[in-house]
């Protein structure tokens, strides 16, 4: 997630680092970059097959008088199949609600409080999802985003387990096992390997580190041949 950072030159530099990488079966086509919306078309035309481009947000209407917004249909028209929805910055700064998004981010204060928030936010969207095949759930402690602080591997695992357990009990065991639950919040090359070792951590939503060569280290921690 490049957030509101970058330029055409910076995007080219990032893509030039990614394109030569060869991913093994553990990573497959699971790497995506999410540039600012004005660079989406450029990114889509520049990345090689096997690397996805995602939007950072989308509005929930097909078209209309919604100045500054982008519809899912417009993203599809560019060949973009992924979008980050409900990021905590959207919630905090732009006051978006639980019901406005399908991908969720949760504030972690203590485990009991976190569990209440996680379940509340899952309940807000679960009945709206008919096909879970392309849903990825992101857990981000708000206090870790852009602060340099990161949840311990044990903290991340506990919350990811809560999410997967809730999906098992309220959707199905298959959905719970098949849905990727990824961790975000100051993930770096120095802490990604230990986080990746946790049973229920299936990947990462990377912010600042995606702008640097650290992103390559983070990707490689899911490739056993590189460890």
């Amino acid at each position: 997630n490049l957030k509101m950072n970058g330029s055409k030159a910076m995007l080219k530099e990032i893509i030039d680092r990614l394109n030569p990488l060869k991913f093994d079966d553990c990573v497959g086509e699971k790497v995506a970059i999410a540039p600012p919306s004005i660079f989406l078309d450029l990114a889509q035309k520049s990345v090689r097959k096997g690397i996805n481009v995602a939007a950072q947000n989308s509005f929930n209407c097909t078209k209309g008088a919604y100045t500054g917004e982008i519809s899912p249909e417009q993203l599809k028209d560019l060949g973009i199949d992924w979008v980050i929805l409900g990021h905590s910055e959207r919630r905090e700064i732009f006051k978006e609600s639980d019901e406005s998004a399908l991908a969720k981010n949760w504030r972690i204060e203590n485990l009991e409080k976190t569990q209440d928030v996680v379940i509340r936010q899952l309940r807000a969207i679960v009945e709206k999802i008919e096909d879970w095949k392309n849903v990825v759930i992101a857990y981000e402690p708000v206090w870790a985003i852009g602060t340099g602080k990161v949840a311990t591997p044990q903290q991340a695992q506990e919350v990811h387990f809560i999410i997967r357990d809730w999906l098992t009990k309220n959707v199905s065991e298959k959905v719970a096992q098949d849905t990727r639950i990824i961790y975000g919040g100051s993930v770096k090359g120095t802490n990604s390997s230990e986080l990746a070792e946790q049973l229920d951590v299936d990947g990462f939503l990377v912010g600042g580190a995606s702008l640097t060569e650290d992103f390559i280290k983070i990707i490689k921690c899911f490739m056993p041949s590189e460890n």
Side-chain angles (χ1 to χ4, degrees):
N1 180 13
L2 276 59
K3 306 191 180 186
M4 199 177 71
N5 294 301
S7 60
K8 289 195 295 184
M10 178 183 283
L11 184 62
K12 182 179 185 302
E13 184 179 331
I14 291 170
I15 291 173
D16 284 348
R17 285 200 297 263
L18 288 174
N19 278 345
L21 286 180
K22 294 182 179 179
F23 303 141
D24 61 18
D25 291 340
C26 294
V27 173
E29 297 187 358
K30 298 175 183 176
V31 175
I33 59 171
S37 58
I38 59 172
F39 299 131
L40 284 171
D41 192 38
L42 174 62
Q44 182 70 358
K45 291 175 179 175
S46 302
V47 295
R48 68 163 174 80
K49 184 178 180 181
I51 298 174
N52 299 287
V53 176
Q56 295 181 15
N57 196 39
S58 178
F59 195 54
N60 59 0
C61 290
T62 300
K63 59 183 178 180
Y66 306 106
T67 301
E69 296 300 322
I70 304 171
S71 74
E73 287 75 13
Q74 289 170 327
L75 295 176
K76 285 282 188 182
D77 193 43
L78 290 180
I80 294 170
D81 296 323
W82 294 96
V83 60
I84 301 170
L85 294 173
H87 193 284
S88 58
E89 290 161 356
R90 301 295 311 179
R91 296 170 183 274
E92 294 291 321
I93 300 169
F94 302 104
K95 311 305 178 186
E96 292 184 354
S97 67
D98 292 344
E99 290 76 15
S100 67
L102 295 179
K104 297 297 160 188
N105 305 272
W106 295 282
R107 183 186 303 274
I108 179 168
E109 296 172 17
N110 59 61
L111 190 59
E112 182 177 355
K113 173 81 171 183
T114 301
Q115 180 167 329
D116 291 343
V117 176
V118 165
I119 291 173
R120 186 196 79 215
Q121 294 186 339
L122 284 170
R123 281 177 177 157
I125 53 94
V126 67
E127 293 184 359
K128 298 179 181 180
I129 302 176
E130 296 180 0
D131 184 1
W132 285 82
K133 181 175 61 176
N134 290 321
V135 174
V136 176
I137 296 175
Y139 162 62
E140 281 198 297
V142 171
W143 50 262
I145 300 172
T147 65
K149 299 176 182 179
V150 63
T152 66
Q154 293 74 27
Q155 285 175 319
Q157 169 57 26
E158 285 177 333
V159 181
H160 282 232
F161 173 79
I162 288 170
I163 297 167
R164 205 176 303 278
D165 185 58
W166 191 90
L167 291 174
T168 299
K169 295 174 180 175
N170 293 273
V171 184
S172 73
E173 184 173 354
K174 177 172 175 51
V175 165
Q177 294 305 312
D178 290 349
T179 298
R180 276 182 281 159
I181 305 173
I182 63 178
Y183 173 80
S186 297
V187 177
K188 305 179 184 68
T190 53
N191 60 32
S192 57
S193 291
E194 193 173 4
L195 286 162
E197 291 173 356
Q198 304 307 305
L199 180 63
D200 291 301
V201 176
D202 301 320
F204 299 118
L205 178 58
V206 185
S210 65
L211 302 171
T212 72
E213 293 187 13
D214 241 16
F215 190 43
I216 307 298
K217 296 179 183 178
I218 293 169
I219 294 171
K220 288 184 175 181
C221 78
F222 282 99
M223 298 167 61
S225 60
E226 299 290 338
N227 294 328

